[in-house]
Amino acid sequence: MLYKRFFGYALNVAMIYTKQHDGAIEVVNDSFMKVFSDISNFNFSNTFKSWLRKIIINTAIDRFRKEHKHYYHKDSLSLCIADETVDVISKISADDVLALLNKLSEIQKIIFVLYEIEGYNHEEIGERLHIPVSSSRVYLTRAKKKLRELYRIYFNTYDERFKQG
């Protein structure tokens, strides 16, 4: 019953950290295995959702580290677009944001989400991902730059619903 009740929530959290639906399902299933094996340590002063979210995030990070243990990340070529200020549009949906995040490299996406959404600092990110703090900062900067570029292309060029006029 617990699995059914929180599956949708868990999948949404996992999708933020993975690019593939199958990978997110694996993270969710692994997370629930951890929940069921460690339920006796649940602290009732916290909400179950926050405890589950922490487990999902840690499971996604562990999965990333395992899959990229000997992988040296190479950034794809940057798009050539003039650096202008991007206006934030209130009509952008969560699906639009997730689609943009999925266009980042996996490490850029994870670092961006951990820093900007979850509130981790670079020291914590470096420790969790086993990367230098300076690399965390570089990946975050590159992620933000690429998101600005992708935003301009996706919303200002191809998506008519966001054009002013």
Side-chain angles (χ1 to χ4, degrees):
M1 285 179 54
L2 191 65
Y3 183 85
K4 282 184 178 181
R5 166 86 166 85
F6 289 99
F7 178 81
Y9 172 76
L11 184 60
N12 285 334
V13 173
M15 286 297 294
I16 294 171
Y17 291 91
T18 60
K19 288 189 174 191
Q20 304 296 326
H21 188 267
D22 291 342
I25 295 288
E26 285 179 30
V27 168
V28 169
N29 289 334
D30 291 347
S31 296
F32 273 103
M33 292 301 291
K34 291 176 183 178
V35 165
F36 295 138
S37 67
D38 205 28
I39 196 80
S40 62
N41 293 328
F42 174 64
N43 181 352
F44 286 94
S45 65
N46 296 328
T47 65
F48 178 77
K49 258 185 164 178
S50 64
W51 185 61
L52 177 61
R53 182 179 188 87
K54 186 175 182 179
I55 290 172
I56 295 165
I57 292 168
N58 289 335
T59 303
I61 290 170
D62 291 345
R63 182 176 183 267
F64 172 80
R65 279 196 313 240
K66 181 180 173 188
E67 289 179 355
H68 296 87
K69 188 173 188 174
H70 301 290
Y71 174 78
Y72 293 95
H73 175 72
K74 296 178 184 176
D75 279 335
S76 58
L77 293 175
S78 178
L79 301 171
C80 297
I81 298 177
D83 189 20
E84 300 169 6
T85 304
V86 177
D87 293 328
V88 177
I89 298 176
S90 61
K91 295 179 184 177
I92 192 168
S93 72
D95 288 338
D96 293 331
V97 172
L98 191 56
L100 288 178
L101 287 174
N102 282 334
K103 294 187 184 299
L104 296 174
S105 70
E106 198 167 1
I107 193 164
Q108 287 176 346
K109 178 181 177 181
I110 288 174
I111 290 172
F112 181 86
V113 171
L114 287 173
Y115 187 86
E116 293 295 341
I117 297 174
E118 301 296 338
Y120 288 87
N121 63 41
H122 289 293
E123 289 76 18
E124 293 168 323
I125 294 169
E127 184 179 307
R128 289 178 173 268
L129 296 179
H130 299 244
I131 61 172
V133 172
S134 60
S135 294
S136 176
R137 287 187 178 100
V138 168
Y139 285 125
L140 179 63
T141 301
R142 289 179 183 170
K144 287 179 177 182
K145 180 180 181 200
K146 188 160 187 177
L147 284 171
R148 282 191 298 272
E149 293 169 350
L150 290 169
Y151 176 87
R152 280 190 213 107
I153 289 171
Y154 186 72
F155 292 109
N156 293 338
T157 305
Y158 298 111
D159 198 334
E160 292 296 322
R161 64 195 168 128
F162 292 107
K163 285 197 173 188
Q164 305 282 333

